Amino acid sequence: MKNQTTIFFYVLSTYVVLQFLWWGFHLIELSNELAVQNNTNKSRIFMVIGEGSVFFLILLLGLWKIRTSIQKDIQLSQRQSNFLLSVTHELKTPLASNKLYLQTLLKHQNLDPNKQEKMLKEALNSSNRLESMIENILTATRLDNHKLELVKAMTNLSDEVNRVCQKWEIEHIKIEKSITSNISAMVDVFVLETVLVNLLDNSLKYAGKEAQISVSLQEKDGEILLSVADNGVGIPDKFKKEIFKKFTRIGNEETRTQKGTGLGLYIVSELLSFHGGEIEVKDRTGGGSIFEIRLS
Ligand code: ADP
């Protein structure tokens, strides 16, 4: 279907352009003959050439715009089908393992308490993963439908960033923090937490085995800078803007080892621009990435 649309577009465009040139040629020839017969000057020919060129440029511009929009649609539908594949997989995996843990616990009620605790913790972890994935899908839907409303309030950002980091550290790993105290701003706490947790989750996911994650918060020239850095695989320059688009994931579904939906960074960047902030990604010296957020 996608190929058919592209072929149809190219055939139609070539036909329209050739027809345009053909009729233009005839019009000039006709004007030429009329000019000779009536002994008039050739200003009409120049008019035809001049206006024809403008029409031709407009036609080319229109065709180029249609081509760009078809390509965007094709890319989006590819990303959407990748998204469906990975979401289905990611919903099924934790559900299946939770079901197995529950069945085992039900069947072997005299199981060693340590084993029981381990299974319950694993089940809790997968439930948390499921919850945050569903939360992300809901937030993306609310953003797309313009149903998200901000509740901004004067907040001690330093305390809030510390709180989110400490909560995250309990379930994951230690974060190296460099947080200037008493930085305050008008923020929506839900936005701040969603953004920070998404960035922290990604840092851990893409940092490999010896993950080192740092968070910094500082105020510079009237701007608040919040950054999350990791020592992971880093992001190639050509993807530095792409990764903030919906469903974008680097690599392909077959070779990718990390789970994900491609929604996290889209949500982060949309929430920030809705909130009046921006985000960019830079290379970290020594490898890895730094995600830098500016709030004004
Ligand atoms: P996903 O659910 O795939 O993690 P995201 O929108 O959060 O979706 O991220 C989009 C893509 O950006 C990821 O698939 C990954 O390829 C890349 N990426 C995100 N964060 C990092 C990071 N800290 N280091 C390296 N690559 C990253």
Side-chain angles (χ1 to χ4, degrees), residues 32-100:
N32 225 346
E33 279 168 22
L34 281 177
V36 173
Q37 274 172 24
N38 301 340
N39 219 4
T40 54
N41 64 26
K42 294 194 169 181
S43 65
R44 190 181 284 171
I45 299 175
F46 291 121
M47 193 190 83
V48 170
I49 294 178
E51 288 188 2
S53 310
V54 174
F55 281 140
F56 191 60
L57 282 179
I58 294 173
L59 179 71
L60 288 185
L61 191 76
L63 289 175
W64 178 73
K65 282 262 172 212
I66 295 173
R67 181 176 161 271
T68 320
S69 131
I70 291 179
Q71 276 179 340
K72 272 193 188 153
D73 274 356
I74 291 175
Q75 280 167 7
L76 184 68
S77 88
Q78 271 164 355
R79 294 206 300 261
Q80 260 166 345
S81 76
N82 280 346
F83 166 75
L84 279 181
L85 272 180
S86 52
V87 162
T88 318
H89 174 73
E90 289 203 23
L91 283 175
K92 276 178 84 178
T93 317
L95 279 178
S97 64
N98 276 7
K99 191 173 159 189
L100 198 70

Side-chain angles (χ1 to χ4, degrees), residues 110-123:
N110 297 326
L111 204 68
D112 171 20
N114 285 337
K115 276 191 184 158
Q116 274 191 26
E117 194 187 327
K118 201 173 161 225
M119 281 189 185
L120 288 171
K121 275 187 179 162
E122 292 281 345

